[in-house]
Amino acid sequence: MCAVTSLENRQLNRFASKKPGSLVVKLDYEHEQRFPCLITNASPAGLKLCVSVRLRSGQFVEVISNDDPFTALRCEVIWVGKTGSREQGEVGLKLLG
């Protein structure tokens, strides 16, 4: 019997996509702003997006797919692609609740 590592299991449960959507970011205690994004990868635990807004790890955001504009997914930013790297403009999000 072959054991599946957690990394392999994580990769097996991912679904590649190119779905347009919106990222809702609370810039301060009162104001939210919406930015266009592209959902490039989805799993039961999280999402990977391409977006042109500066985010930081630990920040809470909402993602709205253009396919289902009445449902917002609350997420936490887990990682942000570094400037100049292959992942620049990408963020990894963990689904909450």
Side-chain angles (χ1 to χ4, degrees):
M1 183 166 162
C2 178
V4 177
T5 67
S6 61
L7 179 60
E8 289 171 333
N9 190 32
R10 192 177 125 216
Q11 291 175 344
L12 290 174
N13 293 328
R14 290 183 177 203
F15 302 97
S17 70
K18 290 202 182 224
K19 295 186 180 211
S22 297
L23 182 72
V24 180
V25 180
K26 198 168 217 173
L27 299 174
D28 56 36
Y29 291 105
E30 296 181 16
H31 300 94
E32 291 181 340
Q33 196 163 359
R34 199 174 209 174
F35 299 93
C37 68
L38 185 65
I39 303 166
T40 60
N41 195 305
S43 77
L47 304 166
K48 183 166 81 170
L49 307 179
C50 285
V51 65
S52 61
V53 63
R54 294 186 71 131
L55 299 171
R56 64 186 185 284
S57 293
Q59 190 171 4
F60 295 100
V61 297
E62 291 182 345
V63 178
I64 302 169
S65 171
N66 286 0
D67 291 344
D68 188 5
F70 299 108
T71 302
L73 301 172
R74 186 144 169 79
C75 303
E76 180 182 0
V77 177
I78 300 299
W79 61 267
V80 178
K82 294 186 188 224
T83 303
S85 73
R86 188 172 52 110
E87 290 86 19
Q88 181 176 339
E90 295 183 340
V91 295
L93 306 176
K94 175 182 169 185
L95 293 172
L96 301 175

